[in-house]
Amino acid sequence: MQPDLIGLEISKGELRRLTGFDPEDVFRPSVLRDSKKRLGFFINEMLVTLALTPIIVGFVYAFIILPTIGSSIRLGILLLILVPMPILVGRWLWRQLTCPEGLTILLDEVDKYHDLISAIDINDQLAASGNVESSFHDRDQVTAALQLIREDLVRALKTERILRDNKKLLANNQELFVNNLASLQALQVSSQAGEYAQLLNQSLQIAIDVQAEIRKLHKG
């Protein structure tokens, strides 16, 4: 991946700092619609459940079963079989209750943004191998658009967190009301037809969706 594209990525660490959540812990319905992400989600849930099960079973066995019933291998095995289900259900409910809808939508937009970066990276690799022609001017326009979207996404994530924590703080952060939509539209008008123009259109749609979500958060 080219250095300019690496600089455009929003890392998991930065997302954690901006949102106050680990991105992996935020339940998003869109994850279940993507086969690759769905598999990763279920594997992660299974690993967490397998890690928590012996801890919970050990606690219940040591502090509840042993003092009241006494030693019972059969009951211990039964607990190991039954406990994972309440853990899965509990984690599901906890995510549903603790993960704000606005945040899940914005994280979906971050995924779309990263998909565009991946598309440019693939096009760069094809151009380097001589399989496709590359227009440096068009590429520069798309990367400029992605930089503007990155700024909007960061502002949107900051806004969502401020509104979640304390709406009164928003009055002291007027810079969060600024957006790059007009600049993106200007780039779109000047773009030529082709692969990069399509990516630019997708970039503009992300920016529009992000601004729509910010307005919804303000009204909420």
Side-chain angles (χ1 to χ4, degrees), residues 5 16 25 40-41 58-59 83 94 149 155 179 183 190 192 203 209 213:
L5 296 183
R16 192 180 300 113
D25 289 336
F41 172 79
F59 180 86
V83 164
W94 178 79
I149 293 172
R155 270 193 294 265
N179 67 71
S183 300
S190 64
Q192 304 297 317
S203 301
D209 292 341
E213 186 57 31

mmCIF file of all heavy atoms in Angstrom, residues 5 16 25 40-41 58-59 83 94 149 155 179 183 190 192 203 209 213:
data_model
loop_
_atom_site.group_PDB
_atom_site.id
_atom_site.type_symbol
_atom_site.label_atom_id
_atom_site.label_comp_id
_atom_site.label_asym_id
_atom_site.label_seq_id
_atom_site.Cartn_x
_atom_site.Cartn_y
_atom_site.Cartn_z
ATOM 1 N N LEU A 5 -1.871 6.341 1.185
ATOM 2 C CA LEU A 5 -3.069 5.595 1.565
ATOM 3 C C LEU A 5 -2.982 5.123 3.016
ATOM 4 O O LEU A 5 -3.992 5.128 3.739
ATOM 5 C CB LEU A 5 -3.262 4.391 0.639
ATOM 6 C CG LEU A 5 -3.523 4.705 -0.838
ATOM 7 C CD1 LEU A 5 -3.777 3.410 -1.615
ATOM 8 C CD2 LEU A 5 -4.702 5.646 -1.003
ATOM 9 N N ARG A 16 -10.719 3.800 18.871
ATOM 10 C CA ARG A 16 -10.941 3.575 20.302
ATOM 11 C C ARG A 16 -10.827 4.894 21.070
ATOM 12 O O ARG A 16 -11.609 5.175 21.975
ATOM 13 C CB ARG A 16 -9.928 2.549 20.818
ATOM 14 C CG ARG A 16 -10.239 2.015 22.220
ATOM 15 C CD ARG A 16 -9.190 1.011 22.665
ATOM 16 N NE ARG A 16 -9.129 -0.139 21.765
ATOM 17 C CZ ARG A 16 -8.105 -0.419 20.979
ATOM 18 N NH1 ARG A 16 -7.044 0.363 20.970
ATOM 19 N NH2 ARG A 16 -8.131 -1.482 20.198
ATOM 20 N N ASP A 25 -15.938 -4.421 19.948
ATOM 21 C CA ASP A 25 -16.985 -4.660 20.945
ATOM 22 C C ASP A 25 -18.314 -4.012 20.578
ATOM 23 O O ASP A 25 -19.308 -4.191 21.279
ATOM 24 C CB ASP A 25 -16.544 -4.132 22.324
ATOM 25 C CG ASP A 25 -15.441 -4.991 22.924
ATOM 26 O OD1 ASP A 25 -15.346 -6.169 22.535
ATOM 27 O OD2 ASP A 25 -14.683 -4.482 23.768
ATOM 28 N N GLY A 40 -15.633 -13.774 11.371
ATOM 29 C CA GLY A 40 -14.725 -13.227 12.375
ATOM 30 C C GLY A 40 -15.447 -12.874 13.664
ATOM 31 O O GLY A 40 -14.920 -13.089 14.761
ATOM 32 N N PHE A 41 -16.667 -12.345 13.526
ATOM 33 C CA PHE A 41 -17.461 -11.977 14.700
ATOM 34 C C PHE A 41 -17.787 -13.215 15.535
ATOM 35 O O PHE A 41 -17.614 -13.222 16.762
ATOM 36 C CB PHE A 41 -18.752 -11.291 14.239
ATOM 37 C CG PHE A 41 -19.743 -11.032 15.342
ATOM 38 C CD1 PHE A 41 -19.576 -9.962 16.210
ATOM 39 C CD2 PHE A 41 -20.841 -11.861 15.520
ATOM 40 C CE1 PHE A 41 -20.494 -9.724 17.229
ATOM 41 C CE2 PHE A 41 -21.759 -11.632 16.535
ATOM 42 C CZ PHE A 41 -21.576 -10.554 17.383
ATOM 43 N N GLY A 58 -15.886 -22.025 37.598
ATOM 44 C CA GLY A 58 -15.037 -22.191 38.777
ATOM 45 C C GLY A 58 -15.563 -21.391 39.958
ATOM 46 O O GLY A 58 -15.563 -21.892 41.107
ATOM 47 N N PHE A 59 -16.029 -20.172 39.683
ATOM 48 C CA PHE A 59 -16.574 -19.336 40.762
ATOM 49 C C PHE A 59 -17.834 -19.963 41.347
ATOM 50 O O PHE A 59 -17.980 -20.070 42.573
ATOM 51 C CB PHE A 59 -16.884 -17.947 40.213
ATOM 52 C CG PHE A 59 -17.457 -17.005 41.229
ATOM 53 C CD1 PHE A 59 -16.626 -16.260 42.053
ATOM 54 C CD2 PHE A 59 -18.831 -16.857 41.367
ATOM 55 C CE1 PHE A 59 -17.152 -15.397 42.999
ATOM 56 C CE2 PHE A 59 -19.364 -16.006 42.302
ATOM 57 C CZ PHE A 59 -18.525 -15.270 43.132
ATOM 58 N N VAL A 83 -23.312 -23.186 30.826
ATOM 59 C CA VAL A 83 -22.925 -21.787 31.060
ATOM 60 C C VAL A 83 -22.636 -20.993 29.784
ATOM 61 O O VAL A 83 -22.963 -19.797 29.711
ATOM 62 C CB VAL A 83 -21.709 -21.727 32.031
ATOM 63 C CG1 VAL A 83 -21.047 -20.351 31.996
ATOM 64 C CG2 VAL A 83 -22.166 -22.045 33.439
ATOM 65 N N TRP A 94 -26.021 -7.087 26.300
ATOM 66 C CA TRP A 94 -25.169 -5.983 26.760
ATOM 67 C C TRP A 94 -24.765 -5.079 25.601
ATOM 68 O O TRP A 94 -24.787 -3.846 25.720
ATOM 69 C CB TRP A 94 -23.927 -6.556 27.440
ATOM 70 C CG TRP A 94 -22.964 -5.498 27.894
ATOM 71 C CD1 TRP A 94 -23.045 -4.712 29.005
ATOM 72 C CD2 TRP A 94 -21.754 -5.112 27.221
ATOM 73 N NE1 TRP A 94 -21.970 -3.860 29.068
ATOM 74 C CE2 TRP A 94 -21.158 -4.087 27.988
ATOM 75 C CE3 TRP A 94 -21.116 -5.550 26.056
ATOM 76 C CZ2 TRP A 94 -19.952 -3.481 27.629
ATOM 77 C CZ3 TRP A 94 -19.924 -4.949 25.690
ATOM 78 C CH2 TRP A 94 -19.361 -3.932 26.470
ATOM 79 N N ILE A 149 -12.954 13.419 3.665
ATOM 80 C CA ILE A 149 -13.902 12.515 4.331
ATOM 81 C C ILE A 149 -13.340 12.061 5.673
ATOM 82 O O ILE A 149 -14.087 11.952 6.654
ATOM 83 C CB ILE A 149 -14.206 11.295 3.440
ATOM 84 C CG1 ILE A 149 -14.964 11.729 2.195
ATOM 85 C CG2 ILE A 149 -15.025 10.254 4.199
ATOM 86 C CD1 ILE A 149 -15.142 10.640 1.183
ATOM 87 N N ARG A 155 -14.551 14.238 12.858
ATOM 88 C CA ARG A 155 -15.433 15.224 13.502
ATOM 89 C C ARG A 155 -16.739 14.577 13.936
ATOM 90 O O ARG A 155 -17.269 14.852 15.014
ATOM 91 C CB ARG A 155 -15.702 16.397 12.553
ATOM 92 C CG ARG A 155 -14.724 17.541 12.665
ATOM 93 C CD ARG A 155 -15.219 18.771 11.941
ATOM 94 N NE ARG A 155 -15.286 18.564 10.513
ATOM 95 C CZ ARG A 155 -14.311 18.898 9.666
ATOM 96 N NH1 ARG A 155 -13.209 19.451 10.128
ATOM 97 N NH2 ARG A 155 -14.429 18.690 8.374
ATOM 98 N N ASN A 179 -17.983 21.141 7.931
ATOM 99 C CA ASN A 179 -17.867 19.915 7.129
ATOM 100 C C ASN A 179 -17.260 20.244 5.775
ATOM 101 O O ASN A 179 -17.190 21.411 5.371
ATOM 102 C CB ASN A 179 -19.226 19.224 6.970
ATOM 103 C CG ASN A 179 -20.203 20.014 6.138
ATOM 104 O OD1 ASN A 179 -20.060 20.133 4.925
ATOM 105 N ND2 ASN A 179 -21.215 20.586 6.798
ATOM 106 N N SER A 183 -16.492 21.130 -0.601
ATOM 107 C CA SER A 183 -15.207 20.848 -1.257
ATOM 108 C C SER A 183 -15.259 19.531 -2.014
ATOM 109 O O SER A 183 -14.720 19.404 -3.122
ATOM 110 C CB SER A 183 -14.091 20.801 -0.208
ATOM 111 O OG SER A 183 -13.982 22.033 0.465
ATOM 112 N N SER A 190 -15.241 18.397 -11.057
ATOM 113 C CA SER A 190 -14.047 18.494 -11.893
ATOM 114 C C SER A 190 -13.488 17.143 -12.326
ATOM 115 O O SER A 190 -12.553 17.080 -13.106
ATOM 116 C CB SER A 190 -12.945 19.261 -11.139
ATOM 117 O OG SER A 190 -12.556 18.542 -9.986
ATOM 118 N N GLN A 192 -13.176 13.381 -14.119
ATOM 119 C CA GLN A 192 -13.484 12.801 -15.416
ATOM 120 C C GLN A 192 -14.165 11.451 -15.232
ATOM 121 O O GLN A 192 -14.167 10.879 -14.155
ATOM 122 C CB GLN A 192 -12.192 12.642 -16.232
ATOM 123 C CG GLN A 192 -11.414 13.932 -16.407
ATOM 124 C CD GLN A 192 -12.186 14.973 -17.191
ATOM 125 O OE1 GLN A 192 -12.814 14.642 -18.193
ATOM 126 N NE2 GLN A 192 -12.149 16.215 -16.731
ATOM 127 N N SER A 203 -17.230 8.341 -2.543
ATOM 128 C CA SER A 203 -16.705 9.172 -1.455
ATOM 129 C C SER A 203 -17.715 10.238 -1.065
ATOM 130 O O SER A 203 -17.959 10.489 0.123
ATOM 131 C CB SER A 203 -15.390 9.839 -1.880
ATOM 132 O OG SER A 203 -14.420 8.899 -2.234
ATOM 133 N N ASP A 209 -23.853 10.827 3.825
ATOM 134 C CA ASP A 209 -24.407 9.975 4.888
ATOM 135 C C ASP A 209 -23.896 10.397 6.260
ATOM 136 O O ASP A 209 -24.643 10.398 7.244
ATOM 137 C CB ASP A 209 -24.051 8.505 4.632
ATOM 138 C CG ASP A 209 -24.754 7.943 3.403
ATOM 139 O OD1 ASP A 209 -25.754 8.545 2.966
ATOM 140 O OD2 ASP A 209 -24.305 6.901 2.884
ATOM 141 N N GLU A 213 -26.126 11.844 9.418
ATOM 142 C CA GLU A 213 -26.092 11.259 10.758
ATOM 143 C C GLU A 213 -25.774 12.310 11.811
ATOM 144 O O GLU A 213 -26.331 12.288 12.913
ATOM 145 C CB GLU A 213 -25.075 10.115 10.809
ATOM 146 C CG GLU A 213 -25.050 9.343 12.110
ATOM 147 C CD GLU A 213 -26.391 8.751 12.483
ATOM 148 O OE1 GLU A 213 -27.169 8.405 11.558
ATOM 149 O OE2 GLU A 213 -26.686 8.629 13.688
#
